[in-house]
Amino acid sequence: MNSSKVALLASGNSLGAYIPAMHLHMYLHDRGIQTDVHVLENLYHEEVRNKIRSTKRAFHADFSVARMGHKLAKPIDNSLNEEAVLKLLDVWKEAEVTSFAVFTGFWLPILERYKTIVMEPLDIRLIRLDAWDTPSFKVHKQLYPNYENVWLYDPSELSPSSYIASDETEPLPYEQRSGRLLIHGGGWGIGTYAGTISELNQLGYCLDVIVYDPTEVEEDDGVTRYFGTVASWDPWNRDTQGHHTFPPMARYVREGGALQEYPLRDYAAFTNVIRNCAAIISKPGGATLNDSLSYGIPFVMLEPFGDHELHNSTYWETRGLGIRFAEWKARNCSEHLLEEICRRLLEQRSKINHFGRNTYAAENSSYV
C-alpha cells in the first residue's frame, strides 16, 4: 500500500467493522498518513438506514432472531442510493484515491465499479478480522478471491498475523490490572452475556458491563460498573468537522432508581477500562478477538453468533488465547487459568506487529 491517502471502508451496521477501522485511522493519522473513513450506511436510502435501529433492537431482544437474520444475509444492492454512490466514486476519482483498506465485504460491488473508471492500478486490501467468512464476504465469494485478503487470524496458520489498535502501547502486566471482568454483547448487544452478570456477581467478581440500553443498568451495588454508548450516536454520524468518530461512551449509575449518565472524556478513557480488565466475557466476534490480542486480555467466550464466530472460538481456544465460558466454569472460574492465558497472549503479541506498521513499513521506515 503506498503512502498517499488511504480510504478505510467501514460499516456502522456492526461496530466490529467500524471500531477497528477507526483504530487504524488514528494509528495512521498519528504517523502522518492521510486517511478517510467511509461508512457504508451513508450510501443507503434514508428509510433503509432508519430500519437498522429497529433491527438492532429485535436482535438484542432475541438471540434466535439475530441468528436467523445472520443466515438470511444478502447483497445490499437494493439498499444503495445510486446518487450517493456516484458522488462517492467521483470524490475518489477526483482525489486520485488508489489505496483502500476494506473492513466489510459489502463494499466489493462498489469497488468493482470504481475499478472500471480509473486507469491506475489500485491497492485494495480486504481486512479479514475473523477466522472464517462473515456474511458480508460470504455473499461475495465470486469477487473476494480477486483481491488481496489480509487474514489476521488465518485458520491455516498457528498464530495471528497482526493486530489493530490506535497506538502500539504495550499491554499492562497481568498483576497490575484491576482484576475486573468486562462483559458485553458486541455492538448490537446480542448473545447470552446478560445471563452471566448475576452469576459472576454471586461468585464475588467485580464487573464492568457494557449495556446496549441504559434501562439495563441495575441499582448501584458499589461493585458493578456500567458503561455504554451515548444513545444519540450512530456510526454513520459525522462530527462538526465532517469526520467519523469513535462512539462517545458514558458510565451509568443508578441510585434510588434514578439513572445518572457520566460521559467519559474520550474513547481512550474507555480503552483504559479494557486494558485494565482481567478478562473479556462476550460472544467471539472478530473485533473482540482483536481487543484480546491488542491489549493482552484473556477471552472467555460465550455462545457464538454464526459460523464465523464458531470458527473464531475454535481458533482462539486451540491457540490457548481464550476459553469457552462453560469450560472456565467447569474449572472453577480459575484466575490462575486466566493468568496463564494472558501470558500466552503477551507472548504472541510480542512476536507480531501492528497491521499499520506491517503495511506501511516500506514507505514509512522511520516508524519501523
Side-chain angles (χ1 to χ4, degrees):
M1 206 176 259
N2 61 45
S3 56
S4 64
K5 180 176 289 189
V6 182
L8 308 179
L9 306 187
S11 168
N13 189 47
S14 165
L15 291 184
Y18 181 84
I19 297 296
M22 288 301 303
H23 279 312
L24 184 59
H25 163 68
M26 291 296 298
Y27 181 87
L28 297 180
H29 179 268
D30 288 348
R31 285 150 184 79
I33 300 168
Q34 287 188 308
T35 63
D36 277 333
V37 177
H38 299 280
V39 176
L40 186 63
E41 285 73 14
N42 283 320
L43 303 181
Y44 284 6
H45 294 291
E46 185 176 359
E47 61 270 21
V48 176
R49 191 164 55 242
N50 290 337
K51 287 180 181 177
I52 293 174
R53 298 182 185 92
S54 60
T55 302
K56 288 173 70 173
R57 286 194 295 270
F59 280 21
H60 170 70
D62 191 330
F63 195 29
S64 64
V65 172
R67 285 193 291 257
M68 181 59 67
H70 161 81
K71 292 178 181 178
L72 297 176
K74 57 185 179 181
I76 59 158
D77 307 58
N78 294 333
S79 300
L80 294 174
N81 181 323
E82 179 65 11
E83 183 179 347
V85 173
L86 290 174
K87 182 177 180 181
L88 179 61
L89 293 174
D90 285 343
V91 167
W92 287 347
K93 185 178 180 182
E94 180 69 22
E96 300 181 338
V97 178
T98 59
S99 296
F100 296 85
V102 186
F103 289 84
T104 172
F106 288 135
W107 277 99
L108 289 177
I110 297 169
L111 288 167
E112 288 288 301
R113 293 176 63 175
Y114 188 58
K115 286 160 64 175
T116 67
I117 63 175
V118 293
M119 303 303 294
E120 296 181 70
L122 300 179
D123 183 353
I124 301 173
R125 307 191 185 206
L126 311 185
I127 315 305
R128 309 300 290 272
L129 287 162
D130 295 83
W132 201 255
D133 278 348
T134 57
S136 74
F137 286 106
K138 186 180 292 185
V139 299
H140 293 300
K141 269 186 174 292
Q142 78 281 11
L143 293 178
Y144 75 66
N146 301 323
Y147 294 80
E148 180 176 355
N149 288 258
V150 181
W151 292 86
L152 272 62
Y153 320 117
D154 188 333
S156 67
E157 299 292 335
L158 294 177
S159 61
S161 66
S162 54
Y163 66 93
I164 299 174
S166 291
D167 54 41
E168 295 186 65
T169 303
E170 289 295 315
L172 288 174
Y174 191 81
E175 63 275 7
Q176 293 182 18
R177 301 181 190 182
S178 66
R180 303 179 71 87
L181 303 180
L182 179 69
I183 300 177
H184 67 77
W188 285 37
I190 61 177
T192 57
Y193 72 101
T196 67
I197 297 172
S198 59
E199 188 174 0
L200 291 170
N201 268 329
Q202 291 172 13
L203 292 172
Y205 282 98
C206 299
L207 308 179
D208 288 334
V209 180
I210 305 176
V211 296
Y212 172 78
D213 188 281
T215 59
E216 300 167 25
V217 176
E218 300 287 346
E219 189 73 14
D220 183 38
D221 60 5
V223 176
T224 306
R225 303 190 302 186
Y226 294 91
F227 300 88
T229 301
V230 174
S232 60
W233 181 84
D234 284 311
W236 46 88
N237 292 347
R238 294 185 175 93
D239 64 14
T240 54
Q241 284 76 47
H243 300 140
H244 289 289
T245 67
F246 282 106
M249 303 296 293
R251 183 179 174 193
Y252 296 105
V253 179
R254 189 181 299 280
E255 293 180 307
L259 183 69
Q260 298 294 322
E261 178 182 300
Y262 301 96
L264 300 188
R265 179 184 69 257
D266 52 25
Y267 196 77
F270 177 68
T271 300
N272 285 335
V273 173
I274 302 175
R275 294 183 71 242
N276 267 285
C277 71
I280 298 172
I281 299 176
S282 180
K283 66 184 187 63
T288 309
L289 299 188
N290 183 62
D291 285 345
S292 173
L293 185 61
S294 297
Y295 309 120
I297 309 297
F299 194 174
V300 180
M301 297 171 290
L302 299 173
E303 185 178 341
F305 170 57
D307 292 342
H308 62 292
E309 290 196 357
L310 177 61
H311 284 270
N312 288 348
S313 182
T314 299
Y315 182 98
W316 226 240
E317 185 174 42
T318 55
R319 273 74 177 174
L321 308 179
I323 186 170
R324 297 173 199 258
F325 184 73
E327 174 66 16
W328 186 53
K329 281 207 311 179
R331 298 175 68 171
N332 299 315
C333 298
S334 167
E335 184 176 348
H336 175 72
L337 181 58
L338 295 181
E339 192 167 2
E340 283 296 303
I341 293 172
C342 180
R343 179 187 58 76
R344 286 191 290 272
L345 278 161
L346 297 181
E347 182 180 356
Q348 286 287 336
R349 191 183 182 282
S350 71
K351 296 176 181 178
I352 62 177
N353 286 327
H354 192 291
F355 167 74
R357 174 185 283 252
N358 287 351
T359 306
Y360 292 90
E363 295 83 6
N364 301 278
S365 58
S366 62
Y367 299 114
V368 175

